[in-house]
Amino acid sequence: MKTKAIIREWMLPIAMTVGAASYLVYHYLLPQAIHTAGPVLESFVAILQPVLIFSMLFLTFCRIEPRELRPHRWHWWLLLIQGGTFVLMGAAASLIRKYMPGNTDWTVLLESAMLCLICPTATAAAVVTRKLGGDVASITTYTIIINLLVSMLVPVVVPFVHPTDGMTFLHAFSLILAKVFPLLILPCFAAWLVRYLLPAIHRKLLTYPDLPFQIWSVSLALAIAVTVKAIVHSSLSLSLLAGIAAISLICCIFQFWAGRKIGQAYGHKPGHSDNSITAGQAIGQKNTVFAIWMGYTFLTPETSIVGGFYSIWHNLYNSWQIHRHESLNCQS
């Protein structure tokens, strides 16, 4: 039992280590003949990851009553922070691109910061928030709202920062919506259909409270393997890689800090979920796969790597939070 408890407590760092080690062993130690299977493995991962995320979200939505999904006042402050900092970084990147066209490294760093700041809440944030004692319904509501904001704001701002031929507002809007809808809205609808049409199955699903977290651990291992692959094959200089890593770390620290501060401002009533935890996860834990996709689609391949670095930082912080939460529970 003690071993199982330790594994459960350290599930995220174990998943990260397994993901990173798996790719490094594959790339550096396995024979070159096996590398011919690389495209097949990539295709398999590309299919498996969305399936895992859909399943995780479906199980999470099964635990939420539709009437619980309502906006809170702290949601609007987080939206203001994400939207405002995104616009500011975009303005700075646009000015550098216009008046200092030769300084491409600074442009890449500012665009990387843009991705970290506007990137919507991770689909797994509800799973981690529940693990930490936060409000799953509130963070799910924010996840939906921030994705809508991203769908509207990115197509407006990005053309000024990184003009691309043929990338109109409607084109960018439709691309983002097509990316968001299948893995956010459809699991929600599916969970509510099961709740009201198949109540026996719904009750059965509720008897597996840790299953979404276990699914997320598998998904995280795959995500870290993909991140390590991107870093290993990156053609960027070490100084620029270090700069992107530092930018992602600064953005991660700032957003978790800002979210927790705003959550604290709205109090924590005894018997209720902790707003500081919920708000911190809402703005700090990011959908880094979406950030990588936005970098490739709307900016440059160089900026997309920031999503991989951010994934490392926020998962390390989540691992520490879960360990601290479990330790406090054991003491009490």
Side-chain angles (χ1 to χ4, degrees), residues 292-305:
I292 293 169
W293 174 80
M294 282 199 297
Y296 272 111
T297 305
F298 300 112
L299 298 171
T300 62
E302 291 84 0
T303 59
S304 64
I305 202 169

Side-chain angles (χ1 to χ4, degrees), residues 13-326:
I14 290 172
M16 293 173 69
T17 303
V18 168
S22 297
Y23 182 76
L24 292 175
V25 168
Y26 164 81
H27 183 71
Y28 290 109
L29 299 181
L30 294 183
Q32 286 295 320
I34 297 179
H35 290 189
T36 57
V40 177
L41 293 173
E42 286 185 18
S43 300
F44 176 71
V45 170
I47 296 171
L48 181 59
Q49 271 193 310
V51 170
L52 291 173
I53 292 172
F54 185 99
S55 303
M56 177 186 62
L57 281 178
F58 169 75
L59 292 168
T60 301
F61 282 130
C62 281
R63 311 188 72 87
I64 301 173
E65 290 275 2
R67 57 184 173 81
E68 293 176 336
L69 296 177
R70 60 182 186 276
H72 295 272
R73 284 181 292 176
W74 57 264
H75 285 165
W76 310 118
W77 287 108
L78 298 192
L79 291 172
L80 180 62
I81 289 173
Q82 287 200 248
T85 53
F86 172 69
V87 171
L88 286 174
M89 291 297 105
S94 181
L95 289 172
I96 287 179
R97 184 180 294 277
K98 182 176 181 179
Y99 296 107
M100 303 170 63
N103 205 329
T104 56
D105 283 3
W106 274 104
T107 304
V108 168
L109 293 176
L110 287 169
E111 290 179 354
S112 298
M114 288 173 62
L115 291 176
C116 291
L117 294 166
I118 198 58
C119 184
T121 309
T123 49
V127 177
V128 178
T129 298
R130 181 175 177 271
K131 198 82 173 172
L132 296 172
D135 187 341
V136 175
S138 291
I139 197 170
T140 302
T141 303
Y142 185 78
T143 302
I144 295 171
I145 295 173
I146 186 59
N147 274 281
L148 292 175
L149 176 67
V150 169
S151 300
M152 298 298 294
L153 194 56
V154 169
V156 172
V157 175
V158 166
F160 292 99
V161 179
H162 197 91
T164 303
D165 292 338
M167 185 61 73
T168 64
F169 173 84
L170 287 178
H171 185 204
F173 177 78
S174 62
L175 284 175
I176 295 175
L177 208 61
K179 193 78 174 176
V180 168
F181 185 82
L183 292 182
L184 183 64
I185 307 301
L186 287 184
C188 182
F189 286 156
W192 291 349
L193 285 174
V194 170
R195 173 185 288 272
Y196 293 117
L197 300 181
L198 302 168
I201 295 178
H202 179 258
R203 286 193 297 271
K204 183 66 175 177
L205 290 173
L206 296 182
T207 61
Y208 302 100
D210 287 335
L211 185 56
F213 187 71
Q214 293 163 358
I215 294 174
W216 166 235
S217 299
V218 176
S219 181
L220 175 60
L222 294 175
I224 293 299
V226 172
T227 295
V228 172
K229 175 180 179 291
I231 294 172
V232 168
H233 291 278
S234 174
S235 59
L236 300 180
S237 65
L238 287 177
S239 60
L240 187 54
L241 276 174
I244 293 174
I247 285 290
S248 62
L249 178 58
I250 292 168
C251 289
C252 184
I253 293 171
F254 166 71
Q255 289 180 108
F256 271 110
W257 172 83
R260 293 185 74 92
K261 284 294 181 182
I262 289 171
Q264 287 173 2
Y266 286 91
H268 171 44
K269 298 177 182 178
H272 291 70
S273 299
D274 192 338
N275 282 334
S276 66
I277 290 173
T278 310
Q281 296 304 124
I283 193 174
Q285 188 174 348
K286 300 291 189 179
N287 185 350
T288 53
V289 174
F290 190 76
I292 293 169
W293 174 80
M294 282 199 297
Y296 272 111
T297 305
F298 300 112
L299 298 171
T300 62
E302 291 84 0
T303 59
S304 64
I305 202 169
V306 77
F309 281 118
Y310 196 101
S311 176
I312 294 171
W313 306 135
H314 79 182
N315 281 299
L316 285 174
Y317 181 63
N318 283 338
S319 301
W320 175 81
Q321 286 190 105
I322 291 172
H323 168 68
R324 182 171 176 271
H325 182 73
E326 295 290 339

